[in-house]
Amino acid sequence: MPLLTGLILGAFVAYGAGWYLGMFTGNFALLMLMATVVSGVYWVAERLVFLPRRKAAAAQLQTQAAQRREELSRMGIAQTDVDVTAASEKLIMQPWWLDWTAGLFPVIAVVFILRSFLFEPFKIPSGSMIPTLLVGDLILVNKFHYGLRLPVANIKMTQGEPVRRGDVMVFRYPPNPNVDYIKRVVGLPGDEVAYLNKKLTINGQPVAVADLPEFFDESVMRYFRQERESLSDKPHLIIEDNDRPAFIAGVGDYPFRDHCRYSVEGVVCKVPEGHYFMMGDNRDNSLDSRYWGFVPDANIVGKAFFVWMNFGNFKRIGSFD
């Protein structure tokens, strides 16, 4: 068992190292599921097999010591230095290979349940959601808001709340579902979304915006045009780069590509059933549905709602729209 356990732990370490070094794209949900199952098997085996065996061996040692004391007493030897307490405790103690498996199971199981069904932490890696979310923000995602889903398979088990325009959503990136993206929901199933000359229109109705003072992006040391946009009853902020053209360059091929019409002015898309049109708040610095298409309902991870830490700016902590 120690050799087998060492091989299993080595496989987990190799997977994590390869992922960290960029040799392949890892799947943390799958890794957590495997760790929970493996450590759970060891935990059950410890309770039903390994611990009873160790206790039986310790009890046998105690019995042998008692018999030895009785034998010495019959021989007239009253004082003995036979003390098996330490040896018994050593026999009962978990070996290293159970410490690193069964011993960690409760912690791994709690983390797995929390991140799979309640809240999952994410780190904002890019500036596509500026000014709402900044690079380095550590956020929490509500995993049950849109309905509970099975881990890894992402199969929906409960209905949850409907997706609303204006929600900040984490989802599996359609071209590579092993990668998580975060954007704002702009179009719902059946909506016609138009982004022409940097003006957003939904179902023929222009989305209301209000001009605000320019936003200074410290990451690039530049000012950008800032507006308050009202996709829902909770307005949010967006920024635009006046130096960037409205034309959307580098559009790839994607499912339902025929639902979109591209021109030098921008794009008009009809959102298919069971899909959503997503955009970043940093409108001219966001690879979103304008470039790679629609997000299927099956790709939804959860609703982002809270910045729990930013080590470079503690004032960032709090809820956001």
Side-chain angles (χ1 to χ4, degrees):
M1 286 302 293
L3 177 59
L4 175 62
T5 305
L7 292 174
I8 293 174
L9 293 175
F12 275 100
V13 171
Y15 183 89
W19 183 5
Y20 179 79
L21 295 174
M23 299 172 63
F24 52 82
T25 301
N27 186 324
F28 190 72
L30 177 60
L31 182 65
M32 284 297 299
L33 175 61
M34 293 174 59
T36 303
V37 171
V38 170
S39 62
V41 169
Y42 274 86
W43 185 84
V44 172
E46 162 70 350
R47 294 297 182 275
L48 300 181
V49 180
F50 299 126
L51 181 58
R53 285 181 181 176
R54 297 198 306 274
K55 286 183 175 180
Q60 184 179 8
L61 181 62
Q62 293 283 1
T63 300
Q64 292 174 347
Q67 292 173 349
R68 177 61 175 167
R69 284 193 296 270
E70 290 178 3
E71 181 181 348
L72 291 174
S73 179
R74 287 195 300 268
M75 295 171 61
I77 303 174
Q79 300 294 327
T80 66
D81 58 356
V82 178
D83 184 4
V84 296
T85 302
S88 297
E89 291 177 350
K90 187 174 182 180
L91 280 173
I92 295 177
M93 186 170 48
Q94 277 189 341
W96 69 268
W97 52 276
L98 281 171
D99 277 340
W100 285 91
T101 51
L104 293 177
F105 170 69
V107 175
I108 295 174
V110 169
V111 172
F112 177 72
I113 292 172
L114 286 176
R115 76 177 303 276
S116 298
F117 301 108
L118 297 178
F119 304 105
E120 184 174 357
F122 284 89
K123 182 178 181 180
I124 302 300
S126 71
S128 68
M129 286 298 292
I130 294 174
T132 304
L133 296 170
L134 306 183
V135 177
D137 281 349
L138 301 176
I139 66 170
L140 286 178
V141 175
N142 186 323
K143 299 294 290 287
F144 58 86
H145 183 81
Y146 299 125
L148 291 176
R149 296 171 184 264
L150 284 175
V152 182
N154 216 34
I155 298 174
K156 200 169 184 178
M157 299 184 296
T158 64
Q159 189 61 32
E161 296 293 327
V163 177
R164 299 178 59 201
R165 296 189 197 96
D167 287 354
V168 179
M169 179 193 291
V170 172
F171 54 91
R172 295 179 177 181
Y173 178 45
N176 183 3
N178 288 325
V179 178
D180 291 323
Y181 262 37
I182 181 168
K183 304 291 179 186
R184 191 177 296 276
V185 179
V186 170
L188 302 177
D191 283 348
E192 183 178 77
V193 178
Y195 191 68
L196 301 173
N197 295 318
K198 301 190 179 182
K199 302 298 181 184
L200 182 61
T201 301
I202 298 178
N203 298 325
Q205 299 296 318
V207 174
V209 294
D211 289 331
L212 296 174
E214 288 186 313
F215 176 83
F216 182 68
D217 185 354
E218 294 182 356
S219 63
V220 294
M221 303 299 289
R222 279 192 57 193
Y223 283 95
F224 293 93
R225 180 182 178 183
Q226 183 174 211
E227 296 176 322
R228 179 180 288 108
E229 185 177 75
S230 298
L231 276 172
S232 65
D233 55 353
K234 293 183 178 179
H236 57 273
L237 304 180
I238 63 171
I239 60 173
E240 297 174 338
D241 186 351
N242 290 330
D243 295 332
R244 296 280 294 274
F247 175 70
I248 301 171
V251 177
D253 191 18
Y254 53 83
F256 301 104
R257 172 69 171 75
D258 58 335
H259 283 224
C260 296
R261 306 187 306 274
Y262 289 89
S263 67
V264 294
E265 297 177 315
V267 63
V268 178
C269 290
K270 182 75 171 181
V271 184
E273 288 300 317
H275 292 71
Y276 303 93
F277 192 90
M278 316 296 293
M279 293 180 69
D281 292 345
N282 190 349
R283 291 292 161 81
D284 292 304
N285 188 26
S286 172
L287 290 175
D288 47 39
S289 289
R290 294 171 291 177
Y291 296 87
W292 41 254
F294 309 99
V295 174
D297 184 80
N299 285 41
I300 293 176
V301 173
K303 181 181 179 181
F305 70 101
F306 193 84
V307 176
W308 64 270
M309 180 57 69
N310 185 314
F311 292 104
N313 184 0
F314 293 154
K315 294 181 180 179
R316 294 287 304 156
I317 298 175
S319 60
F320 59 87
D321 294 322

